[in-house]
Structures are given as structure tokens and as C-alpha cells.
Amino acid sequence: MLAASLKPAPSLAAFSPSARRSPAASVSFPFFPARLNQRPLLSAAATAESTGAAASQGDSSTAAAPPIDEARLAQFAADWEAARADKEQGKILTLQVLKSNTGGVIVKYNSLQGFVPNPLLSPAHCCKVADPKRPIQDVSKDLVGTSISVKVSEVNEEERKLVFSEKDASWSTYSSQIKIGDIYDGIASSVFHYGAFVHLRFPDGLYHLTGLVHISEVSWDLVQDVQDFLNEGDAVKVIVINIDMDKSRIALSIRQLEEDPLLETLDKVIPLEADQSPDRIMSPSEVELLPGLDGICNELLQEDGITDVQFGRQALEKRVVSQDLELWLSNVPAKDNKFTLLARAGRQVQEVYLTTSLDQEGIKKAVQRVLGRVP
């Protein structure tokens, strides 16, 4: 039997970067030469005949080479060309799953067979089962005999590579349904030190797309390793904070669904003494400034529209939000052109009052310029 061996692409990027390397799998395919004018290798008997070697008609050990099916070769060539056209057009195809192996599933494409690696399967399959931690190999076995929607991911006729992506098809179908600010129930699919990939549950109850919660968007607490906060299979609620349509990427946040604990409980974090008011000004002798804050305040005074910088209350937070010095614009309403900034480092917090003619957006830009100048 004439056959060709096809192996899946070694590392195919899914949006989700939740994709991991899948073990290579060997797949048997019908014989389809890379070019129509190439001939398959003939049998030893046929080769002998072509060189004039004698062959006894009565010798049963010598068999004639099977005739080459030109129509079949033409069909193979036409289907390779069709696959290239489908990839170019970004066409969504519905293909039958013939079988599965450790690396993915084999699908039927006209007279050819193609490969869908496990990382390029839609999360809808693994998340609809009771156990989200079920091995993907078991999930792919259940797909045999069903049909799935895919897009052509790679076509390499010479190397006999025909790879499809179900995730790409899902992105084309469902990405138009999401927008920044949408809130989803999700399941953490892969958790790394730098972030967690989360499958998003759509109104139909299935998980069609995957986004990334970066380490900076996991919690208001200081997070050094996301694996300390989330585990694979955890149910989470997330909000969409960015969508990159060109790269098929979704940025998610967990912490933005919660109020900043400092701004939410400012007066609890910084309790008032009997002689204090919420906007009490403290003299420099009373204030032990956070390292680097004095230089930042001097630079703020160089910005147009900022006429005065003064210091307010100090306190310690219950949680470490950042080890580095950060400036936050408080939600406290402005009074007499005076805005409140919050300088935070470790557990320390310091109120800074700006007297300015700038609005909130102008203050943000001024602070960004200053932080860009101060090392």
C-alpha cells in the first residue's frame, strides 16, 4: 500500500497563548504527490521490466506495477490548490473528524486528510464536560465521528502538511460579540507565573474564546506568582480590558471588578485623630516622605498649571499593593482646585495635595511626564 507520513506542525500559536507543545503524532495519509508530474516509486518487478530484465510469465513472484490513477492524482492536486485558496480567503469549513491520536485529531478534507493539533481545538469541548481537568486526549477521542468548524492554518504540499485550527474559526465567529467592559464567567485553563489563560463562557453556555489575565490584573495585592492565587480549573469572573483584533488576543482583568481597597476605605486606612480633618496639611517636619517622592513633587511644580504641592496624612495599608513607588489619583472630588494624589510603596501611603488649574486628565498626563523624567 502506498502511503505518506504526515506530522503536525511543531509549534502552532493559538490565541490563547494557552497553547502548549503537543507530542508529535504520525498520521497515515492517502498517497498524494507534491506535484502532479511526480511518479510514485515503482515495485522492484516493474523496475526490472523497465531495464529489460527478463521476467518469466509463469513466475508468480514477479507482479506488474499497479497502474497509476491519473484522475486520482489530479484530484489530489486540485484539493491542495483548494486548501491554499481556503486559507487565503479565511474560509470557515465544516469537516468530519476521522480519528484522534495523542497530538490531535485527523479530519477529512475532500480527498485529503488534515490535522488539528490539540492546542488549536476550541475550548468549548473541554469546558462542556463535568471535569475541566480531563485530559485533552480523552476529549479529542469523543470528537471522532463528529464534525467541527475549522479554518486552514497551514498548507505545505511538499512536506504533506495540511493543518487546521478550530480556535481560528471560533475567533472569526465570536470575536465580534465581545467588547471592552464586558464581564464574563470563566474557567482558568492554564496558569503560569506571569498570568492565567481563561476560557470565556458565552450566553449559549459554551466557552468559545480564551483571554489572558496578566499578573498585574490578578489582584490588588502584590502578586509575585499567579500560581499562588489561581489554579487550573478555577472558576473566575473577569472583565475585558483590551481586544487586539489583528493578533486575536483578549486582555482580561480580575482585580478591576473590585474597587481599589485603598480608595474604597481611605478613612479606615488613614484614621483621623481628634484634631484632624480629611484634608489636613502637614508640615515638612511632620512628614517622613517615601523615598523618591520629594523629587517627584519638585518636578510636578515645574509643570504648567500646577501651582502648589502639599502633603497630607500618612498611614500603613493592610496589604502590599506595590513594592515600587506609585502615584494614584484619588477618587476624592476636587475642592478649590485641589486634587488628591496617593503615593504608595509597600504598605506605606501618603496623601499629596495638588493645587492646579488642570482637570483630571491633565493631571494624569502631567504625572506621566514627571515619572518619565524622574529615575
Side-chain angles (χ1 to χ4, degrees):
M1 175 180 179
L2 296 173
S5 179
L6 176 64
K7 293 185 178 181
S11 178
L12 300 174
F15 171 68
S16 170
S18 66
R20 298 174 177 168
R21 287 187 180 273
S22 300
S26 181
V27 185
S28 295
F29 283 80
F31 181 75
F32 34 83
R35 297 182 180 84
L36 183 59
N37 61 1
Q38 289 180 335
R39 299 283 184 169
L41 295 177
L42 301 181
S43 66
T47 303
E49 290 177 352
S50 66
T51 57
S56 172
Q57 294 181 354
D59 187 356
S60 60
S61 64
T62 303
I68 297 175
D69 189 339
E70 296 290 349
R72 191 180 182 200
L73 296 181
Q75 183 63 57
F76 289 150
D79 288 340
W80 279 112
E81 185 63 32
R84 284 189 286 269
D86 287 342
K87 182 178 187 301
E88 182 72 22
Q89 298 169 11
K91 187 176 180 180
I92 296 178
L93 309 165
T94 301
L95 304 182
Q96 182 184 11
V97 179
L98 300 176
K99 53 187 174 181
S100 69
N101 56 40
T102 56
V105 297
I106 312 302
V107 293
K108 178 177 176 57
Y109 178 80
N110 299 331
S111 65
L112 309 179
Q113 293 179 1
F115 187 64
V116 185
N118 285 328
L120 298 187
L121 290 171
S122 167
H125 305 305
C126 57
C127 292
K128 69 181 179 183
V129 298
D131 182 10
K133 295 183 180 181
R134 186 184 182 198
I136 187 62
Q137 289 80 8
D138 292 345
V139 174
S140 62
K141 287 179 183 178
D142 292 341
L143 295 177
V144 176
T146 68
S147 295
I148 58 176
S149 296
V150 296
K151 294 178 72 173
V152 181
S153 176
E154 181 180 359
V155 181
N156 190 325
E157 186 177 352
E158 291 187 354
E159 296 184 12
R160 314 294 201 275
K161 287 183 180 179
L162 182 54
V163 182
F164 297 91
S165 171
E166 190 180 21
K167 280 189 173 180
D168 287 350
S170 294
W171 177 266
S172 297
T173 302
Y174 294 98
S175 60
S176 60
Q177 300 181 22
I178 61 174
K179 62 181 184 295
I180 294 175
D182 284 349
I183 297 174
Y184 286 90
D185 291 322
I187 293 179
S189 62
S190 302
V191 182
F192 304 94
H193 71 277
Y194 61 84
F197 291 95
V198 175
H199 298 324
L200 304 179
R201 186 184 182 195
F202 278 68
D204 63 2
L206 298 179
Y207 298 76
H208 296 292
L209 299 179
T210 304
L212 174 67
V213 180
H214 187 263
I215 185 172
S216 62
E217 294 295 337
V218 171
S219 172
W220 287 106
D221 291 342
L222 179 64
V223 181
Q224 295 181 327
D225 190 332
V226 178
Q227 294 168 324
D228 295 333
F229 285 75
L230 289 174
N231 296 306
E232 183 178 338
D234 284 353
V236 295
K237 190 175 289 291
V238 295
I239 183 171
V240 178
I241 59 175
N242 190 51
I243 304 170
D244 189 332
M245 299 299 291
D246 293 333
K247 295 182 179 180
S248 302
R249 293 178 179 175
I250 305 171
L252 306 170
S253 175
I254 296 174
R255 76 169 190 169
Q256 290 191 31
L257 289 175
E258 304 174 356
E259 289 291 335
D260 178 347
L262 179 63
L263 302 184
E264 186 181 34
T265 60
L266 182 60
D267 289 328
K268 294 180 181 179
V269 173
I270 307 179
L272 295 177
E273 297 179 2
D275 62 341
Q276 286 185 328
S277 64
D279 55 355
R280 177 195 173 202
I281 304 300
M282 301 179 69
S283 66
S285 61
E286 297 179 272
V287 179
E288 183 178 349
L289 295 180
L290 300 177
L293 182 57
D294 189 38
I296 290 175
C297 291
N298 289 333
E299 285 294 326
L300 283 172
L301 286 172
Q302 307 305 313
E303 290 289 320
D304 292 338
I306 298 179
T307 57
D308 192 22
V309 178
Q310 296 176 316
F311 302 109
R313 297 170 292 171
Q314 292 179 320
L316 293 178
E317 299 186 65
K318 296 180 180 179
R319 303 187 289 185
V320 175
V321 176
S322 173
Q323 294 288 9
D324 300 323
L325 176 63
E326 294 184 349
L327 286 180
W328 298 64
L329 181 59
S330 172
N331 290 336
V332 177
K335 182 179 179 181
D336 299 328
N337 292 329
K338 185 183 292 183
F339 287 83
T340 302
L341 293 179
L342 301 170
R344 309 164 76 168
R347 294 179 55 215
Q348 292 179 283
V349 58
Q350 167 76 59
E351 288 182 323
V352 179
Y353 302 129
L354 293 184
T355 303
T356 176
S357 59
L358 302 174
D359 58 13
Q360 284 192 349
E361 190 61 32
I363 294 173
K364 289 180 182 179
K365 292 180 179 179
V367 171
Q368 290 172 351
R369 287 193 295 269
V370 168
L371 294 178
R373 297 197 299 266
V374 177

